[in-house]
Amino acid sequence: MLRVPAVAGPSSAIDAAVLDEEERRRMAAFVRDEDRVRYGFARTALRTILSARTGTAPDALRFARDPCPCCDEPHGRPVLASAAAEFSLSYGRSLVLIGVASVPVGVDVEPVPDAGAAERLARMLHPAESAEVLAVPPGERPASFTRLWARKEAYLKGLGTGFGRDIAADDVRGDLPGWCVTDLPAGPGHAAAVAAGSPRARTVVHVHRTLPEL
């Protein structure tokens, strides 16, 4: 895992010239500066990493969507249309998480919510997951829930279903058939995980810090 130090002015790390028209449109649509910086930084970092992996110039990379496994519509896992590499992107507050692999991969980073939100959302999980969260002391429930939620989202992103699949359907506390789900260190206030579509796959995960105060 590569951890990149914080940068003093992340806007300077955003080269909008490598982004495509849709990415620039989405970046400009954010109302808050911190959201715009986070999105632009994340997309620039993704293109830079995939360029190094594939040998394709960052601005020449083209993205598409696989069919959704739930409905076969074109809103499944994001893929490269212009080169061969599997990837996943997630960001939360000051962290940007990127996973690259030779097999389907999903990554997720989540800020720890308040206790009330953690307990409400925990009841939506697989019964065994929900029971695990609610069994720990109240002060520990937000961190326990966030760890499982990050594993859940990483797995669903790897599948390409997102929340089109019932979040109570799978117990992600251990690996699932054909998948390896692993917790990642994300520092205080966050939880993170990576899911790879093969227990033997080599997955490279990059953690980028943007603004500490985001």
Side-chain angles (χ1 to χ4, degrees), residues 2 11 13 19 24 31-32 40 52-53 59 76-77 86 107-108 114 133-134 138 145 152 164 171 186 200:
L2 174 66
S11 295
L19 304 180
R24 288 194 293 270
V31 175
R32 300 194 308 168
R53 174 74 175 233
D59 60 345
R77 189 173 60 250
E86 298 281 353
V107 297
D108 190 60
D114 61 56
V133 174
L134 297 177
F145 161 77
K152 181 83 65 175
D171 182 354
R200 294 176 298 279

Side-chain angles (χ1 to χ4, degrees), residues 83-130:
E86 298 281 353
F87 68 91
S88 183
L89 168 67
S90 179
Y91 45 88
R93 291 184 184 157
S94 63
L95 290 178
V96 173
L97 185 62
I98 297 168
V100 183
S102 58
V103 296
V105 63
V107 297
D108 190 60
V109 58
E110 295 287 338
V112 176
D114 61 56
E119 289 198 22
R120 287 194 305 273
L121 291 169
R123 298 179 191 279
M124 300 168 58
L125 298 175
H126 184 281
E129 297 170 337
S130 180

Side-chain angles (χ1 to χ4, degrees), residues 10 20 52 80 89 135 137 155 163-164 172:
D20 63 24
L80 276 174
L89 168 67
Y155 175 60
F163 290 116
V172 299

Side-chain angles (χ1 to χ4, degrees), residues 125-214:
L125 298 175
H126 184 281
E129 297 170 337
S130 180
E132 178 174 300
V133 174
L134 297 177
V136 303
E140 298 175 19
R141 289 174 188 168
S144 176
F145 161 77
T146 311
R147 172 183 171 269
L148 290 173
W149 191 266
R151 291 175 69 89
K152 181 83 65 175
E153 281 218 45
Y155 175 60
L156 296 179
K157 289 166 79 172
L159 287 178
T161 64
F163 290 116
R165 182 176 175 88
D166 182 2
I167 63 172
D170 309 290
D171 182 354
V172 299
R173 293 176 303 159
D175 292 335
L176 294 107
W179 286 82
C180 179
V181 185
T182 306
D183 296 333
L184 296 173
H190 288 81
V194 56
S198 168
R200 294 176 298 279
R202 180 176 182 273
T203 304
V204 179
V205 178
H206 303 261
V207 180
H208 291 256
R209 292 195 178 275
T210 57
L211 283 175
E213 66 270 22
L214 284 180

Side-chain angles (χ1 to χ4, degrees), residues 23 36 51 78-79 88 116 168:
E23 288 169 319
R36 185 163 49 252
S51 173
V79 295
S88 183

